[in-house]
Amino acid sequence: AYHDFLHVRQLLFIHLSHCDNVVFGRMLDILDKFLIRKGYCFSRLDGSTAMSMRQSLVDEFNRSPSKQVLIISLVPGIWWRYT
């Protein structure tokens, strides 16, 4: 796992060194491709995730032992209701 982290860090460093402006979503895309290539089972929640699907996506992640990673962007905004 630590080796994977170092690999992701290296990929992000290479990407950042070649770009003046980096959009955070693009960084999520890089992480997404890395996780696929390494065979991780994951879910992704970002601005393209429909509001109606966000809570069920988080619930599925919490219930599923096969899901190893949840990529989440803070950009979608606040959508949890705390009670």
Side-chain angles (χ1 to χ4, degrees):
Y2 183 71
H3 177 71
D4 290 344
F5 167 75
L6 292 176
H7 192 79
V8 168
R9 192 177 83 181
Q10 180 182 17
L11 287 173
L12 290 174
F13 177 77
I14 290 168
H15 179 72
L16 291 172
S17 67
H18 290 82
C19 298
D20 290 333
N21 296 318
V22 176
V23 177
F24 187 71
R26 177 70 181 127
M27 293 173 68
L28 292 180
D29 293 341
I30 292 170
L31 184 56
D32 190 290
K33 286 177 179 35
F34 173 80
L35 292 171
I36 291 169
R37 193 170 77 210
K38 288 293 191 173
Y40 285 96
C41 185
F42 68 96
S43 296
R44 178 174 171 164
L45 191 157
D46 61 18
S48 67
T49 307
M51 289 288 285
S52 60
M53 296 300 298
R54 293 177 183 181
Q55 186 62 53
S56 61
L57 191 143
V58 172
D59 292 342
E60 177 190 348
F61 174 77
N62 286 329
R63 280 192 308 267
S64 176
S66 66
K67 298 281 183 176
Q68 299 165 296
V69 177
L70 175 61
I71 301 173
I72 186 166
S73 168
L74 298 178
V75 177
I78 299 170
W79 53 274
W80 280 289
R81 284 183 44 168
Y82 298 99
T83 56

